[in-house]
Amino acid sequence: MILTLDIGNTRIKAALFENNTISDCFMLPFDSWQLDLLEYLKNNPNVSEIVVSSVGKLNRNDFSFIENSHKLFFVDRNSSFPFHNKYQSKATLGIDRMILAAGAVLKFPNQNRLIIDAGTCITYDFITAQNDYLGGAISPGIRLRYEALHTFTSKLPLLENQMPDNFIGDSTNNSIHSGVVNGIIYEIDGFINQYQLDYSNFIIILTGGDAEFLAKRFKNTIFANPNFLLESLYQTYQYQNLK
């Protein structure tokens, strides 16, 4: 069994793969992740390999406590990827975006791919049918937008995610929900429409923590998979073994 760990900005997401399929999916809190991981490994003794990607909060040294008991592999910029990186500032391209791009290439060959990761930030990544990674865009995610309205104003409340009932908000709370959620939906639809003007035959992949919350509201046909990054991490690791 192979355990994959995606260390993001706000949480650690994990998935256990058995016979190339996710058999378990869970979260690890940052404040107790080492103890929780040890407990999980104790309860799942068949885990032989651990594959990790990190946007920067943790590094390989933080995993020294399990290196003697498990094979550990970090996917980073020095790893092999199945695309041509055309990004101008390659040193600042997030490893999570690179892994998503790799997963899209491996899962959906010979077509243009747009990956939308709706998490802390919303990232857009475009890879051509010729496997050229061109880049995309970054904007604030749902939680960041709610928090920004509360933090940088004197009276607006901090609200939890809620799908608005109406386009026109009839109260301050409903106006915030409409502005945040509908704003993101129109933003994503706008990006998709712009790509459609320039490219044909492309698949749209929506992933991230807010993927399921947003998926049903889009006009465009979207392949929604909240675990696409974890699946892509596993596929990227398998790709290393074939090199």
Side-chain angles (χ1 to χ4, degrees):
M1 293 183 182
I2 297 176
L3 181 66
T4 59
L5 299 176
D6 164 37
I7 303 168
N9 291 301
T10 58
R11 56 187 175 178
I12 301 172
K13 292 172 281 187
L16 182 64
F17 285 83
E18 185 175 7
N19 298 323
N20 298 321
T21 303
I22 292 179
S23 60
D24 190 18
C25 202
F26 58 97
M27 302 284 184
L28 291 172
F30 271 110
D31 58 356
S32 62
W33 73 272
Q34 290 178 318
L35 290 176
D36 290 347
L37 179 57
L38 284 173
E39 183 67 18
Y40 188 85
L41 294 173
K42 178 181 176 182
N43 294 330
N44 293 271
N46 291 328
V47 174
S48 58
E49 301 170 65
I50 301 174
V51 183
V52 183
S53 70
S54 175
V55 296
K57 278 201 169 186
L58 300 175
N59 57 45
R60 190 182 188 96
N61 293 335
D62 295 302
F63 287 81
S64 59
F65 68 102
I66 56 171
E67 281 198 289
N68 291 331
S69 57
H70 293 80
K71 181 180 178 182
L72 185 65
F73 186 85
F74 258 74
V75 177
D76 56 27
R77 289 188 181 87
N78 296 320
S79 303
S80 298
F81 293 92
F83 57 82
H84 315 293
N85 193 344
K86 302 295 185 178
Y87 207 61
Q88 286 191 14
S89 55
K90 294 179 176 61
T92 64
L93 178 58
I95 189 64
D96 51 343
R97 298 176 69 186
M98 296 178 71
I99 290 169
L100 286 171
V105 168
L106 295 170
K107 188 174 180 64
F108 303 103
N110 304 317
Q111 58 187 309
N112 298 308
R113 310 96 168 168
L114 175 63
I115 310 150
I116 304 166
D117 185 3
T120 302
C121 294
I122 301 173
T123 59
Y124 302 81
D125 294 287
F126 191 76
I127 310 97
T128 69
Q130 292 73 40
N131 297 335
D132 290 331
Y133 175 85
L134 302 185
I138 304 172
S139 71
I142 292 179
R143 183 80 312 221
L144 280 181
R145 299 187 193 206
Y146 278 117
E147 291 178 356
L149 288 173
H150 173 68
T151 302
F152 296 106
T153 64
S154 58
K155 293 185 178 180
L156 292 181
L158 179 60
L159 304 179
E160 295 298 319
N161 297 12
Q162 180 178 309
M163 192 63 68
D165 295 325
N166 200 315
F167 173 75
I168 301 174
D170 58 3
S171 67
T172 297
N173 284 12
N174 288 338
S175 294
I176 293 173
H177 290 310
S178 179
V180 170
V181 179
N182 285 321
I184 285 176
I185 290 168
Y186 291 134
E187 173 192 305
I188 292 176
D189 268 330
F191 271 105
I192 292 171
N193 292 337
Q194 186 61 49
Y195 277 106
Q196 286 176 331
L197 292 176
D198 298 326
Y199 297 92
S200 60
N201 181 34
F202 77 93
I203 187 167
I204 305 159
I205 305 158
L206 177 65
T207 189
D210 291 319
E212 291 183 334
F213 177 75
L214 294 169
K216 295 180 181 180
R217 293 296 300 268
F218 292 113
K219 300 174 184 177
N220 294 283
T221 301
I222 288 177
F223 172 73
N225 181 356
N227 296 321
F228 190 70
L229 196 150
L230 288 166
E231 293 178 2
S232 297
L233 179 57
Y234 176 80
Q235 290 176 327
T236 303
Y237 174 63
Q238 298 292 77
Y239 179 77
Q240 314 301 308
N241 296 332
L242 297 176
K243 296 296 288 182

